[in-house]
Amino acid sequence: MALVPAPVDPAPALESGPAVPAVPAGVRVGLVLPGGGARAAYQVGVLKAIAEMVPRDAPLPFRVISGTSAGAIISAILASHAPQFRMGVSSLERFWRNFHTDQVFRSDTGTMLRAGLHWMLALLSGGFLVRPPRSIFDNQPLRELLEIHVNFTRIRQHLDHGHLDAIAINASAYRTALSVAFYECARDTAPWLHSWRLGEPAELGLDHLMASAAVPFLFPAVYMDGEYYGDGAMRQLAPLSPAINLGAERLLVIGVRPPPQPSAPRAAATEVIPHVHPGPGREPSFGQILGFMLDTLFMDGVQTDLERLQRDNLLITAAGGTAAGLKRIEVVSITPTADFGPIAQRHATDVPRALRILLRTMGAANPGGRTLLSYLLFQGSFARELIALGYDDAMARRADIQVLLRSEP
């Protein structure tokens, strides 16, 4: 039986504000949405702000969309409403504001107990009595939810009618170790293979979305066409590449991790806090290590690729606007201005009791493990706070976004 978010907390109506002109058809602005689990609610907040910057009945201002993991889900829902951008964003906001963990993976007490016993028997018997589980969580509820909210037939119609140029869903192939961008286009675009990055035309469907969001260990891999696929962020060394290969000339990148802050030297920290013992601190818990791994998985490639793109743009500018094999790509990157860890900790009691016990066992209930919690906290209360933060951060960058969406460079 499909799970439907209860319409108890409708999304607030989008306000009207000074609008920028709709982007002309000849200008291809691309949208890049990296993965981030529950943190992707922040991307919804940024899109909500952008929806207030364009005319009320404007179509999707992004001609090319590339999404990974939770970002792929947002991309598909947006593409389903390509002719009416505001309607698509309103649908997205309702989708996230009323989220419950059990709409993403089974988190009831019985399921969590059975999963724990399964893992224990598999470990104790070396896999002879029962085979090891495919993953920690069963995310079948997510598939049932996406069946309701994503219409791939409608996406193809929007491509045919010119409301959208291309959409890519990114996954990682376990056998070939390739980062694969499955894409559909309004015009013929040749596949590409560059440095372990493959662009493959496909008739997109739910399997592609589930594969893109199959976080290793947490969710099961997805089998398609003789290959198992997992989360698209695992092998994605160049997250901006699919959108550029599909013709994007400008990019909006919405990250879900604050930029790194320079830390004080150890000696200076000891002077400021003289009671800090210089010896080793508390050993990181399993939950803290897993959260660190997810943080690395979802964001390190994005920052590196942005730096590479900015360097290429400087080279092209130094060459007088032309450089062999290179083209200038204008980019605006929106990232959170606040750490999601403390926000997640404030909403930790909102998760189901069985999941809360599991997270506490893993060490994710203390401040060191709140990074992991922020990726798994699929709860409306947490999502609403991230949506508000994303909205405020985008409004603070309003001028940059408006320049990106206008026709002139």
Side-chain angles (χ1 to χ4, degrees), residues 12-20 41-55 61-62 85-86 89-90 93 252 254 334 386-399 401-402 405:
L14 294 173
E15 300 176 0
S16 296
V20 299
Y42 175 84
Q43 297 172 335
V44 177
V46 174
L47 291 167
K48 179 183 177 182
I50 296 173
E52 295 182 10
M53 300 179 196
V54 301
F62 308 104
F85 180 46
R86 285 198 175 194
V89 172
S90 293
E93 191 177 5
L252 175 68
I254 309 176
I334 307 292
L386 296 196
I387 289 171
L389 177 63
Y391 178 90
D392 291 341
D393 287 352
M395 283 301 184
R397 300 285 304 279
R398 184 185 190 111
I401 295 171
Q402 288 178 326
L405 296 183

Side-chain angles (χ1 to χ4, degrees), residues 63 158-162 164-167 184-189:
R63 304 297 303 176
H158 297 333
L159 288 165
D160 292 340
H161 296 156
L164 185 67
D165 284 350
I167 177 172
E184 284 199 61
C185 282
R187 55 192 175 85
D188 289 337
T189 300

Side-chain angles (χ1 to χ4, degrees), residues 125-282:
S125 67
F128 287 107
L129 291 179
V130 293
R131 295 182 60 184
R134 296 175 60 202
S135 60
I136 295 176
F137 301 119
D138 175 8
N139 62 348
Q140 179 62 25
L142 178 61
R143 174 181 282 271
E144 296 171 355
L145 187 66
L146 294 178
E147 284 178 340
I148 299 170
H149 289 274
V150 181
N151 189 326
F152 286 99
T153 300
R154 192 184 301 163
I155 292 175
R156 279 184 279 277
Q157 291 172 350
H158 297 333
L159 288 165
D160 292 340
H161 296 156
H163 299 301
L164 185 67
D165 284 350
I167 177 172
I169 295 175
N170 304 290
S172 301
Y174 279 108
R175 182 177 58 84
T176 60
L178 290 173
S179 173
V180 184
F182 296 102
Y183 66 87
E184 284 199 61
C185 282
R187 55 192 175 85
D188 289 337
T189 300
W192 64 85
L193 177 60
H194 307 296
S195 302
W196 299 94
R197 305 191 309 273
L198 172 66
E200 184 172 313
E203 185 173 305
L204 298 178
L206 280 177
D207 281 345
H208 297 96
L209 277 185
M210 296 301 293
S212 183
V215 181
F217 300 113
L218 298 183
F219 302 134
V222 176
Y223 186 77
M224 296 186 295
D225 300 326
E227 174 75 282
Y228 278 99
Y229 293 89
D231 195 287
M234 286 191 291
R235 300 288 296 180
Q236 200 173 36
L237 302 178
L240 311 185
S241 171
I244 295 173
N245 276 288
L246 291 171
E249 299 160 317
R250 307 175 186 180
L251 292 178
L252 175 68
V253 183
I254 309 176
V256 293
R257 177 185 178 190
Q261 300 296 325
S263 56
R266 185 183 300 271
T270 307
E271 291 173 6
V272 175
I273 312 174
H275 297 293
V276 173
H277 194 277
R282 178 181 295 178

Side-chain angles (χ1 to χ4, degrees), residues 331-404:
V331 61
V332 171
S333 174
I334 307 292
T335 53
T337 55
D339 185 4
F340 289 166
I343 301 175
Q345 200 165 26
R346 288 201 298 271
H347 298 280
T349 56
D350 296 340
V351 301
R353 184 171 181 271
L355 178 60
R356 196 159 62 243
I357 293 172
L358 174 63
L359 291 173
R360 188 182 301 119
T361 303
M362 296 168 63
N366 56 42
R370 59 194 183 188
T371 298
L372 173 61
L373 181 64
S374 70
Y375 284 108
L376 295 179
L377 194 52
F378 293 98
Q379 290 294 128
S381 57
F382 179 58
R384 288 190 287 273
E385 194 162 344
L386 296 196
I387 289 171
L389 177 63
Y391 178 90
D392 291 341
D393 287 352
M395 283 301 184
R397 300 285 304 279
R398 184 185 190 111
D400 294 332
I401 295 171
Q402 288 178 326
V403 169
L404 188 78

